DNA sequence: CGGGTTATTGAGGGGCGTCAACAACCGTGG
DNA sequence: CCACGGTTGTTGACGCCCCTCAATAACCCG
C-alpha cells in the first residue's frame, strides 16, 4: 500500500525532514467494511491516519445504544491522545474499505517532541475536531428528527466528497447507521429519506445516493 | 472581596511561589443575577475564576435559540483559550450572585509559560471540560425529554451542591432556563417537574428546590 | 396593593417511536 | 441460471410523547 503522506491533515505543513523520518517508521494496513480498527477502551498503541476509505467513530451512548459521532475520511488522524494514561474513547470501524498508515506510539511521540511545527498542527487539529463535535452535538439537542436527518446527510456528503450535482454514488452506509448518527430509528430515517426524495432534494436507493441541492438541505437542517 | 485562591480548580496543585505571583496580579469583581460576565464573540482579555455563586454558559444554538451548555460553580475557570486568535465561544451570565477573580491575559500567560505545573493543570482541566461537555451532549441526542429533565436536575444539584436529603434550597434558575439546558419548552419542563414531584423524587416550587432521591433520578436519566 | 414576571395546566394536534408485515436485495450453493 | 435464506429497506397502523398556544394562577417587586 502506498501511503500519500502529504495528504494527511496533520502533516500537510511539515518539512520534508520529518516526512522522511515518519515515512520510514510507518506501517500500512487495510480493513474491509465492518472490520474494526480500534476498540473503545483499548490501550493506545499508536497513531493511525486514514489513507483512503471511510470509517465511523462509535461510542456507547445512552443506555448502551451505539452512537456514531463522526465519519472519518482520507487524511484524518485517530488514536492519538495527549496523555499516556487514557484509553481509546471510541470504537473505529470501517464503513467503506479503509487503508490506514500506522505509527507506533514511541515514533509518533518522537516527532511530536522534536518538531514544534508538528506539535502545533496536532494540537490545532485536536482542538478543531473537539469544537466541531461539540458544536454539532449541541445543535442536535434542539433539532427535530427531520432536521437531524438533513444534517446527517450533509455530513455524509462531506465525508464521501459528494457534490450536489445529481451524480450517483455507491455508499455502504446503512439506514441503521444513519439513524445511529442522530439517535433515531431506522424506520423513521427511511421515511424521512423518502420525503426528501419526493421533494427532489436527492435520490436514494439501497447502497446508492445522489444529491441535487445542498442549499435546500442546509435550509432544512437550519 | 476576598478570593480563596486555593479553591480554584486549576490552581489546587500549584506551588506557593506562583500563588503569590498570581495573587498580586488579580482583580476581583461581583455580578448580580442576570448580569453578563463575558459576551460571546468578545475579544479574550484574560481569565476569570468563579470565586462564589452560579453562572450559566450560553451559546446560540439551532436557529439562534439560546442553549445553556454548562452551569459554573465555585472554582471553575472561564475565558481561557490556548490560541490568541479565537474569541469567546459562549456568553457567561450570573444566575446567582457571582464573585470572580480576574487576571489579565499577559499575567496569566506569564504563569502558563513559567510553570509547567500550571500549564499541565490548565490543559488537563480544559480537556476534562471538553470531554464532559461532549459526553453529555452526545447522550442528550438519544434521550427523551423526561430523561433530559432528570439529567438537568442532577447537573443543577451538582452545581448548587445540593444533597438528596430533602433540604429546601433557594435557586434563581427559572423553568425557562432549565428548558434551555435540554432544548425543550418551559411548559413541558414544568409538567415533567410536577410529575417528579408527584412521584416523590423532589420538592419544587418557584425559586425553591429539594431532592429526595438521586438514585431514582439517575435511574430515569439512564 | 397593583403590574409584571414566572409557573401551572389544559386542549389539540402533529411528530415520532415502536412493531410488524412485506418487499427488495445480497451472497451462496445447488 | 435459479433457488434460497439472511440481511436491509419500505411502509402502514397505532399510540404516546411532546410542541404550541393560551388562559389562569402564583409569585415578586416596588
Amino acid at each position: 500500500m502506498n501511503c500519500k503522506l502529504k495528504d494527511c491533515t496533520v502533516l500537510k505543513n511539515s518539512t520534508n525532514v520529518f516526512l522522511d523520518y515518519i515515512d520510514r517508521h510507518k506501517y500500512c494496513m487495510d480493513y474491509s467494511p465492518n472490520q474494526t480498527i480500534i476498540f473503545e477502551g483499548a490501550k493506545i498503541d499508536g497513531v493511525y491516519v486514514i489513507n483512503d476509505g471511510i470509517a465511523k467513530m462509535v461510542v456507547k451512548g445512552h443506555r448502551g445504544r451505539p452512537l456514531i459521532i463522526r465519519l472519518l475520511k482520507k487524511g484524518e488522524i485517530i488514536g492519538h491522545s495527549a496523555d499516556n494514561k487514557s484509553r481509546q474513547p471510541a470504537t473505529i470501524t470501517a464503513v467503506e474499505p479503509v487503508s490506514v498508515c500506522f505509527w507506533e506510539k514511541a515514533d509518533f511521540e518522537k516527532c511530536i517532541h522534536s518538531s514544534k511545527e508538528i506539535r502545533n498542527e496536532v494540537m490545532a487539529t485536536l482542538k478543531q475536531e473537539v469544537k466541531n463535535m461539540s458544536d454539532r452535538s449541541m445543535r442536535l439537542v434542539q433539532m427535530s428528527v427531520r432536521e437531524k436527518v438533513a444534517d446527517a446527510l450533509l455530513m455524509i456528503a462531506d465525508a464521501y466528497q459528494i457534490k450536489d450535482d445529481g451524480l450517483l454514488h455507491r455508499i455502504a452506509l446503512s439506514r441503521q447507521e444513519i439513524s445511529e448518527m442522530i439517535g433515531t430509528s431506522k424506520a423513521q430515517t427511511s421515511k424521512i429519506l423518502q420525503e426528501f426524495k419526493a421533494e427532489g432534494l436527492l435520490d436514494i436507493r439501497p447502497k446508492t445516493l445522489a444529491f441535487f441541492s445542498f442549499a435546500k438541505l442546509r435550509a432544512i437542517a437550519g
Side-chain angles (χ1 to χ4, degrees), chain A:
Chain A
M1 200 58 219
N2 176 31
C3 295
K4 298 149 208 139
L5 273 175
K6 60 187 178 307
D7 291 336
C8 295
T9 311
V10 287
L11 302 172
K12 62 179 190 296
N13 292 333
S14 301
T15 62
N16 283 332
V17 176
F18 288 109
L19 279 187
D20 286 348
Y21 177 84
I22 290 172
D23 212 22
R24 285 197 305 277
H25 289 78
K26 71 165 188 287
Y27 300 90
C28 294
M29 284 173 283
D30 290 323
Y31 296 86
S32 314
N34 251 9
Q35 266 194 303
T36 289
I37 302 163
I38 295 177
F39 289 88
E40 180 173 351
K43 235 176 59 189
I44 290 172
D45 55 348
V47 169
Y48 302 73
V49 171
I50 309 263
N51 186 42
D52 199 24
I54 304 283
K56 58 181 177 180
M57 185 181 287
V58 188
V59 297
K60 277 202 286 290
H62 188 239
R63 301 187 196 277
R65 277 171 60 195
L67 186 62
I68 299 176
I69 58 179
R70 283 181 65 200
L71 292 178
L72 302 161
K73 63 169 188 284
K74 186 199 290 196
E76 303 207 63
I77 184 172
I78 47 179
H80 48 63
S81 176
D83 65 89
N84 299 341
K85 284 151 278 177
S86 58
R87 305 206 148 228
Q88 297 292 356
T91 297
I92 314 284
T93 302
V95 175
E96 311 290 341
V98 165
S99 86
V100 300
C101 299
F102 171 76
W103 292 275
E104 285 183 14
K105 205 164 117 179
D107 289 330
F108 182 70
E109 280 173 357
K110 216 171 290 174
C111 284
I112 288 278
H113 286 116
S114 60
S115 162
K116 190 181 166 198
E117 195 173 54
I118 293 183
R119 186 166 58 239
N120 287 345
E121 195 75 40
V122 169
M123 294 304 287
T125 302
L126 261 172
K127 272 175 46 182
Q128 190 55 44
E129 283 173 11
V130 156
K131 181 165 164 44
N132 288 348
M133 241 173 63
S134 67
D135 281 1
R136 178 181 139 77
S137 54
M138 289 303 163
R139 278 162 11 88
L140 287 182
V141 172
Q142 298 174 322
M143 289 164 84
S144 69
V145 170
R146 181 182 161 89
E147 291 168 335
K148 288 194 279 190
V149 171
D151 196 86
L153 286 168
L154 291 167
M155 272 188 66
I156 293 166
D158 178 62
Y160 281 84
Q161 307 276 46
I162 301 177
K163 303 293 166 207
D164 55 348
D165 50 12
L167 252 64
L168 283 166
H169 293 258
R170 283 195 78 72
I171 66 165
L173 204 73
S174 69
R175 303 291 181 276
Q176 180 65 39
E177 287 171 311
I178 297 176
S179 307
E180 285 168 9
M181 295 173 69
I182 59 178
T184 187
S185 64
K186 67 174 190 225
Q188 202 56 35
T189 300
S190 184
K191 284 172 197 173
I192 289 166
L193 288 174
Q194 295 310 115
E195 282 177 34
F196 288 165
K197 189 175 177 178
E199 293 165 23
L201 301 178
L202 48 80
D203 188 5
I204 188 161
R205 300 172 232 174
K207 312 248 165 292
T208 318
L209 180 59
F211 291 98
F212 295 120
S213 169
F214 286 163
K216 286 180 186 170
L217 267 182
R218 270 193 279 266
I220 291 170

